[in-house]
Amino acid sequence: MTAEPIDTPAEDARPDALTRAMILTTLTMVTALYAMTVTIANVSLPQMQGALSATTDQIALVVTFNIIATAVATPMTGWLAARYSRRTILIWGVSGFTIASLACGLAPSLELLVVARIFQGAFGAPLVPLSQAIVMDSYPKHQQGSAMAIFGMGVVLGPVLAPTVGGYLSEVYNWRWVFFMIVPCGLAALTGVLIYIQDRSKAGSSYLDWTGFLTLAVFIASFQFMLDQGERLDWFDSTTILLCGAAAGLALYLFIAHSLTAERPFLDPKLLLDRNYAIGLLLVFVFGMLNFTPMTLLPALLQGVRGYPDSIIGVILGARGVGTLVGFFFMFWGSKLDPRPTLAVGFALQGIAGWYMSQFSINLTTFDVLWTSALQGLGVGLVWVPLTIVSFNTLPRSKTAEATAIFHLVRNFGSSIYISIAIAIALNGARVNYAEMTAHARPTNEALQFQDSLFRVWELDSTGALAGLSGEMARQAAMIGYLNSFYAFTLTSFAVLPLMLLIKLRR
């Protein structure tokens, strides 16, 4: 797809200050609405599994297919913006997203829930990149940093607030309320779009490169499914995984070859000639990898290893939101600083938080999770605004719609890939360590004998005792698996720091 100007207002053609503020408020609400669904289902997956009589593999599809639908639909934002007005896309996107959320809550079976989640992801995909493009076009360069600090609260705080409120509602009522709570928020966002978003301009001519779109869609869907289900299906011992891997490799080759030779490719590779934008894509890929991974691992850890209820887990995850909020408040005034040191500090703080998470013991306390989550959230809050400034600092405004679509595609793809990798590391570590522990579970092992006349560690003389020992070994092995994932998170956070030296800013 060619990157044609969608809406390039001159400085004096931008809306006035009050109108800009209402546009920013509305689009922040739209962004938060979509961002809520990134993690809202995770906190209630065990309850969904029981209510819908699903296996662990089956209930995981509720998250997997939503991620795939989002990743596939996100690149179409540029083409939609060229064919229809931004206002039209937002109206249909918010409306469809709200209806799909209601359908998720009403779904009587797992199959219909997965279908509703697919529509939820597809309708929600254009909302974030299109909202960001409108915000950036509405504000002059010197105010974009402060505007993106406010806008970024919706991107990052939505996934934090959702499990906090959703965990409480699912415990008091049931899992369906994590989706019902989105409906009034969707109606409020739709009202704001109808009133304040009046941009009806469009590029006029539009062209969709079907070859590029379909090959990219097949690659994303196949690769994501392979990563998400690989550990459960024993990787390449499974015919399904082999077929997905082959389809992903072939589709990626065809997409790259076609994009480099087509006259009007679906995604313009010339955007990568802009040095800052290319580096920004690498950084936002890593940002996506780091952003939601702890929020995916911690609920399962706290619930499975420590036995925390849903409502308490939601509150604990809210600590990350406090840290993120502090980071955004700082960036509201600090956006005029050189973004490179701030980026480095943000990624370093996430690495430090990951390191301390990797040192958790089996008896970790609530305070341990609270302060490390808040520190990771602070790093996220410090990264988002300078990352946006760096990525779009040297791009012409005519490229905004397509560039933001690719930007958020890469971010979402990084999140989905790394979540799958982190879960695979945790599951593999748990399985391997459980096997090693069972090899030592024998009567001759001194650790399983009497320590003194008053305290007995374990007994092996009954079925109940053996079951208890097996459960404890599974708990310990699962904890080691989670710690391995946090080690990988730490290494990823620090590995990206040298990229800061490659950034050049236009003054």
Side-chain angles (χ1 to χ4, degrees), residues 296-313:
T296 304
L297 296 175
L298 286 174
L301 187 156
L302 293 173
Q303 190 173 61
V305 175
R306 296 289 291 154
Y308 279 67
D310 292 346
S311 57
I312 300 301
I313 293 174

Side-chain angles (χ1 to χ4, degrees), residues 447-450 456-460 465 467-473:
L448 303 178
Q449 305 302 314
F450 292 107
R456 182 176 302 182
V457 181
W458 290 104
E459 292 179 335
L460 300 177
L469 176 60
S470 176
E472 179 60 23
M473 288 192 299

Side-chain angles (χ1 to χ4, degrees), residues 135-213:
V135 170
M136 294 183 68
D137 283 352
S138 299
Y139 282 82
K141 283 282 187 182
H142 68 279
Q143 294 182 344
Q144 284 182 0
S146 299
M148 291 311 300
I150 297 174
F151 175 79
M153 292 182 185
V155 176
V156 182
L157 289 183
V160 177
L161 296 176
T164 304
V165 180
Y168 172 78
L169 291 176
S170 65
E171 186 171 316
V172 174
Y173 300 103
N174 57 56
W175 64 268
R176 299 182 184 276
W177 282 89
V178 301
F179 297 109
F180 290 152
M181 63 176 277
I182 298 176
V183 176
C185 300
L187 295 176
L190 179 61
T191 302
V193 170
L194 292 171
I195 296 174
Y196 296 109
I197 308 302
Q198 299 300 323
D199 176 14
R200 292 180 169 84
S201 62
K202 53 185 178 181
S205 85
S206 60
Y207 167 76
L208 179 62
D209 175 20
W210 283 102
T211 302
F213 168 67

